[in-house]
Amino acid sequence: MENVLLVVNFLLQHKLIFTALIVLFVIAIRRFTLSIIRGDAALITQKQRNWMSRTKNGTFAATLLILFALWQAEINQFALSVTAIAVAIVVASKEIILCFTGSIQRASSRSFRVGDWIEVGKICGEVIEHNMMATVIQEIDLHHGQYHFTGKTATLPNSMFFTYPVKNLNFMKRYVYHNFSIVVPEFVNLYPLIPLLTEKIEEHCHYFSDVARRYNAMIEKHAGVDLPGSEPHIHITTTAAGEQVVHYMIFCPTDKATHLEHLIRQDFMHAYEERFKIQEKKTAELSLSA
């Protein structure tokens, strides 16, 4: 017992050594816990990501509390000694304070959680971790009409949440409103093609149309807004140069969007060629007969 008391007194007198031992012990516990959560799986599941994030944040908070209790007397003395230069410290630590308050703002507003798709500024991705200072996301290529991971990891300081709006794109993980356009240089009447093109889209989408309708209704109920609906939308506009632009919008599974776009473009090319090449052929025959 006396040996234990001697060791405790020694550690309390040499707080730097005690602090190093506490940090090493917490790191060891954290690594051991994370290895148990991850296991031998090659890919991390959503539940594992949540528990890993909680473990990291919990050990960080526990370490801060223990170290604060250990160094409380020194911190009080330091606080009294720096009262005169408190303003200078606040200015120098502005970004750190913003990161902490940004984390509080995120937690209080519940704008997103681990696993959600978010857009902050021009950066889009899936949240894989967040803590008091930063949020880590796996980047997704949404701005080019794609919905796949780029393989890049972005670390966003929480201070960005005061500068840029945070858009939660979580419903896009399953279904998405996919928009794309086809430009037609000739000024011809494309409206007779719309019923045929709509029918072709419905053929491509028939196997998930019921699920899409229910999911669309669920999003409308959750968001409390009237969405365009799950049926395909086609409209035609013209440019200043006289070109026609056929705009498509389909509500489809996110992982099928690019493939469906390819099929729909192919259908348009076939329908356009079949209709207007035949017309050109008839016009040429009439001109020759005349």
Side-chain angles (χ1 to χ4, degrees):
M1 188 66 181
E2 292 181 359
N3 293 332
V4 174
L5 292 175
L6 288 175
V7 171
V8 171
N9 290 330
F10 175 80
L11 292 175
L12 291 176
Q13 291 175 4
H14 300 80
K15 292 185 178 181
L16 287 176
I17 298 175
F18 197 13
T19 300
L21 291 175
I22 291 172
V23 171
L24 290 174
F25 177 75
V26 170
I27 290 174
I29 292 295
R30 181 173 120 165
R31 288 188 175 181
F32 177 72
T33 306
L34 291 176
S35 65
I36 292 176
I37 294 172
R38 176 154 190 167
D40 298 328
L43 298 176
I44 302 176
T45 64
Q46 184 63 49
K47 186 176 180 180
Q48 287 175 314
R49 286 189 193 278
N50 287 327
W51 278 108
M52 290 173 72
S53 180
R54 292 168 187 166
T55 301
K56 292 177 181 179
N57 292 334
T59 53
F60 179 73
T63 304
L64 283 182
L65 290 175
I66 293 171
L67 294 182
F68 179 80
L70 179 63
W71 292 90
Q72 184 176 3
E74 287 78 4
I75 292 172
N76 290 335
Q77 293 177 3
F78 177 75
L80 291 175
S81 65
V82 299
T83 302
I85 57 172
V87 175
I89 292 177
V90 169
V91 172
S93 58
K94 175 183 175 183
E95 285 299 321
I96 297 176
I97 295 173
L98 284 175
C99 287
F100 274 104
T101 53
S103 175
I104 296 172
Q105 185 268 343
R106 176 203 60 77
S108 60
S109 63
R110 297 181 180 179
S111 52
F112 62 87
R113 58 184 180 180
V114 173
D116 285 356
W117 285 17
I118 64 170
E119 179 180 355
V120 183
K122 294 184 177 180
I123 303 175
C124 306
E126 180 177 332
V127 179
I128 59 174
E129 182 183 346
H130 57 73
N131 51 48
M132 295 296 291
M133 296 298 295
T135 298
V136 184
I137 65 173
Q138 286 284 357
E139 190 180 47
I140 301 172
D141 187 15
L142 293 182
H143 293 297
H144 296 93
Q146 306 293 323
Y147 307 96
H148 57 75
F149 291 98
T150 64
K152 300 176 184 177
T153 301
T155 301
L156 311 178
N158 290 337
S159 58
M160 289 183 66
F161 301 152
F162 293 108
T163 308
Y164 301 98
V166 180
K167 299 180 183 179
N168 193 312
L169 312 175
N170 198 39
F171 82 93
M172 294 176 61
K173 290 181 69 174
R174 289 191 59 196
Y175 277 77
V176 65
Y177 282 106
H178 185 58
N179 297 272
F180 61 95
S181 303
I182 300 175
V183 179
V184 180
E186 294 85 9
F187 196 84
V188 293
N189 185 12
L190 297 175
Y191 284 94
L193 295 179
I194 291 181
L196 175 62
L197 296 174
T198 304
E199 183 181 347
K200 290 288 187 182
I201 295 174
E202 290 175 351
E203 289 178 5
H204 296 313
C205 302
H206 75 280
Y207 65 94
F208 62 80
S209 58
D210 291 338
V211 178
R213 193 176 300 109
R214 291 196 299 268
Y215 193 70
N216 185 268
M218 184 190 71
I219 297 172
E220 284 186 339
K221 184 177 180 181
H222 178 74
V225 295
D226 185 19
L227 297 176
S230 59
E231 64 278 358
H233 295 78
I234 305 174
H235 69 277
I236 300 171
T237 60
T238 56
T239 65
E243 298 174 331
Q244 295 190 96
V245 184
V246 184
H247 301 274
Y248 285 89
M249 184 177 72
I250 57 174
F251 188 69
C252 63
T254 304
D255 57 347
K256 305 292 184 183
T258 305
H259 176 66
L260 289 171
E261 178 182 343
H262 171 74
L263 295 177
I264 293 168
R265 287 182 182 275
Q266 191 177 43
D267 291 337
F268 178 84
M269 299 300 178
H270 288 322
Y272 180 86
E273 183 179 24
E274 182 178 349
R275 178 176 179 84
F276 294 104
K277 291 298 181 182
I278 291 175
Q279 285 188 357
E280 290 177 4
K281 185 178 179 180
K282 288 182 178 179
T283 304
E285 289 177 354
L286 287 174
S287 61
L288 288 174
S289 62

